[in-house]
Each structure stands twice: as C-alpha cells, then as structure tokens.
Amino acid sequence: MGRGERFDVAVVGCGPVGGVLATLLGRRGHRVVVVERHPAPYPLPRAVHFDHEVGRILQACGLGGELGAISEPGSEYEWRNGSGQVLLRFGGRAVGPSGWPDSNMFWQPALERLIEAAAAARPTVGVRRGVRLVGLDDRADGVALTVETAAGRAEPIEARYVVGCDGANSTVRELMGVSVTDLGFFYDWLIVDVALHEARVFDPVNLQICEPARPTTMVSGGPGRRRWEFMRLPGESVDELDDPARAWALLEPWDVTPANATLERHAVYRFQARWADRWRTGNVLLAGDAAHQMPPFAGQGLCSGVRDAANLAWKLDLVLAGCSPPALLDAYERERTDNVRAVIDFSMALGKVICITDPDEAAERDALMAGGADAQAPPPLPGVTGGVIRAGDPLAGLLFVQGRVARDGTPALLDDVVGAGWRLVTMDPEVGDSISDELLAWFADRGGVVVTVVAEVDVDGTYDAWFTSHGVVAVVQRPDFHLYGSAVGAAGVDDLLAHLRTALDHPSVPTGGTP
Ligand SMILES: Cc1cc2nc3c(=O)[nH]c(=O)nc-3n(C[C@H](O)[C@H](O)[C@H](O)COP(=O)(O)OP(=O)(O)OC[C@H]3O[C@@H](n4cnc5c(N)ncnc54)[C@H](O)[C@@H]3O)c2cc1C
C-alpha cells in the first residue's frame, strides 16, 4: 500500500469500546492507532451501569485498582408500580461470579478518562483526537484509511485491520455498506443527570417506577451523582420535554431543586433495538454501538460493547502474531451474536414492563407481576454457543469464575496474581506435570499458562465449589474468561489442548449467525 503510517490495527472511535479494545491490543504489544473526531473526551454520561464480567475485563485493562473510586455497587434494583408495590427486584449478591459486584454504578466520563489513559499509556498505542474517518479502501493486505483534521486536511493512515467502534451512527458501518436490522422498538426518554450538594441515601439505590402517568427511572449515577429518566408521553413533544425548567419540575417530587442540586445535563434520547447484519467484511470489523444498540433498561449497551472488545482482542492478537489464520476472525461475530440478541430481547422485555402509559394495561401488568418481589440475581447471559469452543463439552462457552487467592497471606483476585490470557486452571498439582512438552510449548507460545489453585490459597472456596459442582479436574479459560472446554481427569488434558490447537491453528467457523 505505502500511502501513510502503517499500524496493526486502526480503531475508529475513542468511546469506551474503542478504548478497551486499544488497551487490550496494546497490552499484547500490537501497534494501534485510535482516531477520534472529538478533540476532547465527551463530557457527559450515558451509561451508568456495568456488570461483574465487565468489571473483570476492565481489570484486565489494568484498571482494577481504580474502579472503586469511580463506581459504587448497585446492590438493589427494584421495579415498583405507581402505588409503590414491588413488581420485580434484582439484587441480594455482594459479588458476582467474575469477582466484581453484579452491578456497578459509575460516571461515564470518569471511566472513559481512565480507559483512554490506560490505552495511551501503552507504548505501542497512539490516540489521535480531532480527526474524523472519512474513507476506507479495503485491500488484500490491509486497509487504507482517510482521516480529516478539524482544518479539513485529509491524511492517509494504513492498518492491517480496522475496527469501527464509532457508535450508533457508525461511519465505518456505512462505508462497509452493511445493512441494519431494526426491531422498530423505540421510545424517547428525557435523561437528567444531577449532582447533589449533600450526600443522601436512596433506598433502593436503583428504582424503576412503572407509573403509567409517567414511567420513570431513578438510579445512581456513580458516587455523589443521581440519574433520572422520564419517558416522553404520547402527545408530548421532544421540545416540551427537553427543557431545564421541565427537568426541574419533574425532579421536584424527589425534593431535588436548584437549592440542593446541580443539573449537570438534560437530553432526550431515543432508545432503539437494532443490529448490523454483518460485523466483518474483509479486514474491517465492527464493535460496540456500531454493531448493536439496545434499550438501556438492563444497563447492557456498553457492557455488550466491552464484551465485543474482549472477544475480538484475543482473536486479532493471534492473527496478528501469525499464530492463527484470518479465518479465526469469523468466529467473532458467530460468538457474540447469540449473547447480544439475548441481551436485546431481555432489555426489550424489561422495556415492555415499564413503557406502559395505558392505565388498564398497567393494571393488568401489575396483577400479573404481583408477588415477584423476592430479590433475585440478574439472569445469567448466554455464554459462547459456537465458534472456538470444544464441541460436545457441556461446560464449553460458559463464563468462568474469578475467586480470591492468598498472595503473601493477603487475599487478591486471581487475575491480579496470574494475569489474564489463555489459562489452564486446575486444583490438582499433578495436572501440570501430565501435559506433553510439545502441547505445553504450543500453549505457552500463545501466552498460555497453567494455573494450579491449591485448596490452601482458595480463600473463599470459589474454585473448590466450582470444580466440585462441575465434576471436572481442569478447564481451559479463554482470554475473554469464557471456557474453551474442560477435562474430567488428568488424562484428558492433553486431548483438550490438542483440540484447542486444531481450533486455533485451523479454524473453521460457519459464517452467518447475525442475531
Ligand atoms: C441514556 C442512556 C443510558 C445508558 N445506560 C447504559 C448503562 O447503564 N449500561 C450500559 O452498559 N450501557 C448503557 N447505555 C449504552 C451505552 O452508553 C453505549 O452502549 C456505549 O456508550 C457505546 O459505546 P461505544 O464505544 O460503542 O460508542 P460511543 O460511546 O458512541 O463512542 C463512539 C465514538 O466514536 C467517535 N466517532 C464517531 N464517528 C467517528 C468518525 N467518523 N471518526 C472518528 N471518530 C468517530 C465518537 O465521537 C465517539 O467518541 C446507555 C445509553 C444511553 C443513551
């Protein structure tokens, strides 16, 4: 090609998804450029919630120690009808399976700043702000990108792969010529973010008020902040609703006034359920909102995008390192779509509960849901159902646990001790010795490590409980924390690794599989 500076990967968009992808690739030593049209980070939040799995992915970005300062656990999420009766309650578990709280409430600009700093701190990653992608030319050996500076000057960049993490109105998606499937489920909501002048306790911390006269969401916006969301009613115009005086009037019933709070922003958003029909054409891929959008009632839009990044990062890593052929990248869309479709369905199902403005319909809903007030853990999302998982293994594709282990006598999350990447995890010290030298060397070449968690260091018994209940001796955990597969006895571990070698060295992934 030879037109401009050449990178392994050009990430378009420095939102949370682009930032996480760049960080994960940079941690594996790849040369990455992130191009972002805005000269400065976006100062307003949209997402306020991430789940335990995303907590672990952010930990893999090196941010585990910093998340506590910008987030607080969303211990309870209650759904009440207009008269205060509880219809649904999520909560009750302090820590989710990934070692992080099930629900973490945060302020998006603070998280994005942390992610961007983590990306920019990698010596092989450059973040270029104030440049907009305007053109793509996908060729056999890579992609020629054209970006435009604020002054209107066009500049060439070259990359082996391009990933469009450029949000709902993705330019990359448009340049790929990919169509979008839209379920036609949309509602307008006024989003109001407030900083309270004095600390106040909200119990429950997160609340949906299924009041047909005005469906309302009231949740934490991270430490010191609150988020209210008010649905636009039939007959009400967006302009009428998107007004600071209107926002204050809607906040008043909660004793939130200009005397005790600062209105950080108000904006009307249209929540939609849509996805791109293809996530890869040639050397160009999509991730995050560019690939899918969903209503925010399950707090999963950003989470899904971060999962995309974690899934795609290890595949790009193996392909760029020459360990796997580019066909491995076809597994990305195959692996992510079932999960994304389930999350979109779940978000829409929750939306159908809350977005009811007809009083009779609301009364029917209330009668149907009465008694559903016992706290329940959020439903587990489907794991990986096809792609790089061991066929016929009932545990393959499941999200694996992360527990605490004793390090120098102090409990630490396992990934902080052994790092993230390909991990063969066992509690049996003999398993490591039983693996053939040849397979062990192949595994190590891909960053694979054998991790033996002996009972004495399994501080909370997480691994003992998991291995005992599943009746296996070892598992292979992928870098995105899903299981490739398991072995019932030490004798099966070589076979497990041999299958993994075939899956990564000679991937054959059925195409298609959009949600
Ligand atoms: C009101 C609301 C509440 C939400 N709540 C939650 C929640 O609680 N939990 C959750 O998980 N999700 C939630 N979401 C969804 C979440 O905010 C998004 O899914 C997430 O921000 C998407 O991240 P992204 O990185 O894919 O895209 P974005 O954050 O949109 O980032 C895309 C970036 O690409 C840049 N860009 C675009 N075009 C170009 C171009 N041509 N050249 C260069 N750069 C470009 C943009 O400037 C932007 O910085 C919510 C959304 C809304 C609207």
Side-chain angles (χ1 to χ4, degrees), residues 11-20 34-42 45-51 54 104-106 108 112 128-135 146-148 164-172 175 189-193 219-220 227-229 265 267-271 287-308:
V11 173
V12 183
C14 196
V17 176
V20 166
V34 185
V35 292
E36 166 57 53
R37 65 183 170 183
H38 289 310
Y42 190 62
R46 286 149 297 146
V48 287
H49 162 270
F50 67 82
D51 62 21
V54 168
N104 305 270
M105 309 306 295
F106 69 104
Q108 190 167 351
E112 287 192 19
R128 289 197 58 197
R129 286 195 162 273
V131 288
R132 173 194 298 268
L133 173 86
V134 292
T146 305
V147 297
E148 202 173 82
C165 302
D166 51 344
N169 302 314
S170 169
T171 307
V172 175
L175 293 169
W189 283 67
L190 172 69
I191 310 302
V192 181
D193 287 307
V219 293
S220 161
R227 153 78 56 88
W228 273 264
E229 301 177 0
R265 71 90 159 266
V268 171
Y269 278 90
R270 174 157 290 193
F271 300 154
D289 273 20
H292 45 73
Q293 294 132 56
M294 63 192 69
F297 306 109
Q300 281 294 333
L302 175 147
C303 296
S304 300
V306 169
R307 282 186 190 99
D308 296 343

Side-chain angles (χ1 to χ4, degrees), residues 55-56 59 64 95 98-100 402-405 407 410-419 460 463:
R56 191 175 184 189
Q59 181 190 356
V95 177
S98 305
W100 290 86
Q402 178 181 216
R404 295 189 308 160
V405 292
R407 177 172 56 183
T410 308
L413 286 168
L414 183 70
D415 296 351
D416 288 342
V417 179
V418 300
D460 306 305
Y463 293 95

